[in-house]
């Protein structure tokens, strides 16, 4: 009996030691990361002192790119948030790219085996050592399960979560100091933005949550009788917080017109399926896909629209979408005054809005909208720039009238503008707003209740 107790005590001691070692290692890594961050900032500051003085937005962008994952993501957040950040910063951070060199395959193997607890060969029939995609948070590989099913395996890069936590704690601390030293900045809630971004990025690092998003989206499709769209089904037996195995889709990107026509005689119908699915998800699903850029929408070989990459999702209150729906409805009918009235409702302001003056300014913006080259959409880098340019113009008009938009509006409008440009590229003969096959307000009835038209 005493031997048994001794063994239990020894196991408890070992577990305690292991936890202590892990904590010490994480603390050490965190300290090293802070030193690395301060080193990069110091080098940039020295360059500035020695006369290398590019514009501040450009200096900040290059510094962010030198600091890696967290700061690149923060730069992309700035680029897509003209309702929060100054125009010159939004413009500059359009150039903030997230193209990460691929990890050697042995890192991928090690992570999979450690997370799933078995040798790679016992888990999969095969895994292609060459990645399909490589980004700052994860790397994706094609694979086959033992039963022959084609899948993709999304594997988190080593140490990413710890780097994110260290970086964001450092950023939050710096933001709080900045707000105390310059009280006028507190109105922009810098620390609040940091907290929001940290929560979003840490959620993106939790592959169990992404797997649950995939399952929930497919459940939403089944519940609404939607057979025209689909998301990959996760393989939960081969999924953890750092490894996500899911069904592999075969098809073509929705923006490749030349290849698309080989799969369908009616690109417009494919777009309508994607549009109706996304709009109905705003009210009938717990979340909406918040990153519908080129590459995350596919036309599958069986004719369905595939929605992929659910690491970034958004949520919106019914009341907020009701106001935005009126705004989109006004766009569709060309009712500029209703657009102005809706903007006054959606935006946060204590001032009386001159709706007549706002209407005149929006009329000028509509002329700019009509001059955008739709073919720019199929090029990812120019696509983001075009979409953000339009968004910045709209936000700037609102701010000129004392209106500040909530970020949920900017996020939704960005996705909406993507779809608007997609229509012009793939089905220019179709009027998205007047076509009775497109239901922009799916999920909203006259009383704000949910329904699928």
């Amino acid at each position: 009996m005493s031997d048994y107790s001794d063994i239990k005590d020894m196991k408890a001691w070992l577990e305690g030691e292991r936890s202590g070692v892990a904590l010490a290692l994480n603390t050490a890594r965190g300290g090293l990361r802070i030193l690395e961050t301060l080193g990069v900032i110091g080098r940039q500051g020295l360059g500035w002192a020695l006369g290398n003085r590019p514009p501040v937005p450009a200096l900040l962008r290059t510094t962010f790119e030198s600091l890696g994952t967290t700061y690149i993501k923060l730069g992309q957040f700035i680029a897509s948030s003209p309702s929060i950040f100054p125009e010159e910063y939004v413009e500059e951070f359009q150039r903030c790219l997230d193209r990460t060199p691929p990890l050697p395959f042995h890192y991928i193997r090690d992570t999979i085996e450690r997370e799933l607890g078995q040798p790679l060969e016992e888990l999969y029939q095969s895994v292609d050592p060459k990645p399909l995609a490589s980004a700052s948070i994860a790397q994706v590989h094609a694979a086959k399960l033992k039963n022959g099913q084609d899948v993709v395996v999304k594997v988190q890069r080593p140490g990413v979560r710890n780097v994110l936590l260290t970086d964001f704690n450092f950023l939050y601390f710096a933001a709080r100091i900045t707000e105390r030293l310059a009280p006028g900045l507190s109105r922009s809630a810098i620390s609040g933005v940091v907290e929001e971004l940290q929560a979003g990025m840490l959620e993106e690092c939790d592959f169990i949550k992404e797997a649950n998003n995939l399952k929930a989206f497919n459940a939403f499709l089944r519940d609404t009788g939607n057979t025209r769209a689909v998301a990959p089904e996760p393989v939960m037996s081969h999924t953890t917080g750092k490894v996500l195995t899911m069904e592999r889709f075969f098809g073509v990107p929705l923006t490749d017109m030349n290849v698309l026509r080989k799969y369908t005689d009616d690109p417009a119908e494919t777009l309508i399926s994607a549009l109706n699915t996304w709009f109905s998800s705003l009210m009938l699903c717990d979340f909406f896909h918040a990153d519908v850029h080129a590459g995350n929408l596919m036309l599958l070989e069986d004719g369905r629209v595939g929605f992929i990459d659910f690491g970034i999702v958004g949520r919106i209150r019914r009341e907020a979408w009701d106001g935005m729906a009126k705004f989109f409805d006004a766009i569709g009918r060309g009712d500029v005054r209703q657009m102005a009235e809706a903007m006054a409702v959606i935006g946060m302001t204590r001032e009386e809005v001159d709706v007549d003056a706002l209407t005149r300014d929006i009329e000028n913006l509509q002329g700019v909208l009509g001059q955008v080259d739709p073919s720019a959409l199929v090029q990812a880098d120019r696509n983001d720039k075009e979409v953000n340019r339009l968004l910045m113009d709209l936000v700037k008009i609102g701010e000129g009238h004392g209106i500040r938009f909530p970020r949920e509006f900017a996020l939704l409008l960005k996705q909406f503008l993507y779809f608007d440009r997609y229509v012009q590229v793939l089905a220019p003969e179709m009027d998205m707003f007047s076509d009775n096959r497109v239901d922009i307000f799916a999920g909203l009835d006259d009383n704000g209740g949910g329904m699928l038209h």
Side-chain angles (χ1 to χ4, degrees):
M1 188 72 178
S2 60
D3 289 343
Y4 178 68
S5 298
D6 290 343
I7 292 171
K8 284 179 64 180
D9 289 344
M10 179 63 74
K11 287 182 66 178
W13 180 82
L14 287 172
E15 287 297 326
E17 287 297 301
R18 184 186 302 168
S19 298
V21 169
L23 179 61
L25 285 173
N26 286 336
T27 302
R29 292 192 192 103
L32 288 173
R33 177 58 180 169
I34 291 174
L35 289 175
E36 179 186 357
T37 302
L38 293 174
V40 171
I41 294 172
R43 285 193 297 274
Q44 294 283 15
L46 180 61
W48 178 274
L50 293 175
N52 180 20
R53 298 182 179 180
V56 174
L59 177 65
L60 196 61
R61 175 185 61 79
T62 56
T63 302
F64 278 21
E65 289 177 339
S66 298
L67 288 168
T69 302
T70 309
Y71 293 86
I72 288 172
K73 292 289 187 182
L74 179 58
Q76 292 169 344
F77 176 87
I78 293 170
S80 63
S81 303
S83 60
I84 297 177
F85 299 98
E87 179 179 340
E88 60 270 24
Y89 287 85
V90 174
E91 284 278 10
E92 179 64 35
F93 278 96
Q94 301 301 316
R95 302 171 61 189
C96 198
L97 303 176
D98 184 12
R99 295 174 183 169
T100 308
L103 279 172
F105 186 66
H106 70 85
Y107 286 108
I108 301 301
R109 171 188 284 273
D110 289 347
T111 301
I112 292 173
E113 293 183 342
R114 183 173 60 254
E115 287 291 307
L116 298 178
Q118 295 182 60
L120 192 70
E121 290 74 17
E122 293 182 14
L123 293 162
Y124 302 92
Q125 186 181 117
S126 63
V127 179
D128 189 346
K130 184 178 180 181
L132 292 171
S134 180
S136 58
I137 286 179
Q139 193 159 295
V140 179
H141 290 256
K144 280 183 182 290
L145 296 179
K146 286 293 188 177
N147 63 9
Q149 179 187 353
D150 285 298
V151 294
V152 293
V153 187
K154 183 175 180 179
V155 182
Q156 194 169 123
R157 286 177 169 265
V160 163
R161 186 179 178 85
N162 189 59
V163 168
L164 290 176
L165 284 169
T166 302
D167 286 349
F168 275 111
N169 287 338
F170 178 80
L171 285 168
Y172 182 79
F173 179 71
R176 294 296 291 170
I177 290 177
T178 302
E179 289 170 353
R180 284 185 175 276
L181 293 177
L185 288 177
S186 63
R187 283 173 292 186
S188 65
I190 300 173
S191 58
V193 169
V194 171
E195 283 187 301
E196 178 188 342
L197 188 57
Q198 180 184 32
M201 288 188 65
L202 289 177
E203 186 171 325
E204 196 177 345
C205 283
D206 187 345
F207 293 171
I208 293 292
K209 284 188 177 179
E210 184 172 351
N212 288 333
N213 288 342
L214 292 169
K215 291 194 291 185
F217 192 79
N218 278 323
F220 144 72
L221 295 176
R222 288 192 297 271
D223 291 345
T224 55
N226 187 336
T227 59
R228 301 299 307 276
V230 67
E233 286 288 353
V235 181
M236 298 307 294
S237 61
H238 290 58
T239 293
T240 70
K242 296 181 180 179
V243 174
L244 171 57
T245 303
M246 57 191 147
E247 174 186 7
R248 185 180 182 184
F249 280 170
F250 293 93
V252 296
L254 213 59
T255 50
D256 192 333
M257 185 58 144
N258 294 328
V259 179
L260 200 64
R261 288 200 176 278
K262 297 177 182 178
Y263 284 73
T264 177
D265 296 327
D266 192 355
E269 193 62 37
T270 301
L271 263 175
I272 288 166
S273 298
L275 286 164
N276 284 338
T277 298
W278 188 82
F279 280 116
S280 66
S281 73
L282 293 174
M283 284 296 102
L284 300 175
C285 189
D286 289 339
F287 55 83
F288 62 90
H289 195 300
D291 200 18
V292 292
H293 65 70
N296 281 347
L297 293 177
M298 298 175 65
L299 175 61
L300 305 186
E301 292 176 348
D302 62 9
R304 292 180 297 173
V305 176
F307 284 75
I308 63 174
D309 194 353
F310 279 76
I312 303 175
V313 299
R315 292 171 175 82
I316 184 169
R317 293 175 294 106
R318 183 176 296 277
E319 296 78 15
W321 173 235
D322 192 20
M324 294 176 198
K326 291 175 182 175
F327 177 79
F328 295 145
D329 180 48
I331 292 177
R333 293 186 293 101
D335 188 336
V336 180
R337 184 172 183 83
Q338 184 179 315
M339 287 174 62
E341 291 172 352
M343 283 175 66
V345 171
I346 296 166
M348 300 177 292
T349 179
R350 295 179 182 176
E351 303 175 22
E352 180 105 13
V353 176
D354 185 340
V355 176
D356 291 331
L358 181 56
T359 299
R360 289 193 294 271
D361 287 343
I362 295 174
E363 285 175 340
N364 294 332
L365 176 60
Q366 278 199 320
V368 175
L369 279 166
Q371 296 171 14
V372 173
D373 176 14
S375 63
L377 184 69
V378 299
Q379 300 179 42
D381 53 344
R382 291 176 61 195
N383 173 24
D384 272 347
K385 186 172 182 179
E386 294 287 355
V387 170
N388 280 289
R389 179 71 257 172
L390 297 177
L391 186 53
M392 283 190 294
D393 287 343
L394 184 63
V395 169
K396 190 173 182 180
I397 287 174
E399 288 178 345
H401 293 269
I403 298 172
R404 180 176 173 82
F405 295 105
R407 186 171 187 270
E408 60 188 2
F409 175 76
L411 180 63
L412 267 177
L413 186 59
K414 184 173 181 179
Q415 312 309 312
F416 178 81
L417 288 172
Y418 279 147
F419 279 123
D420 187 42
R421 301 298 103 181
Y422 291 164
V423 169
Q424 293 190 40
V425 173
L426 300 178
E429 73 288 349
M430 183 181 82
D431 185 336
M432 180 174 66
F433 298 104
S434 64
D435 194 308
N436 59 17
R437 297 172 297 174
V438 180
D439 189 0
I440 295 175
F441 312 117
L444 282 177
D445 60 22
D446 292 337
N447 299 315
M451 62 181 291
L452 182 63
H453 303 290

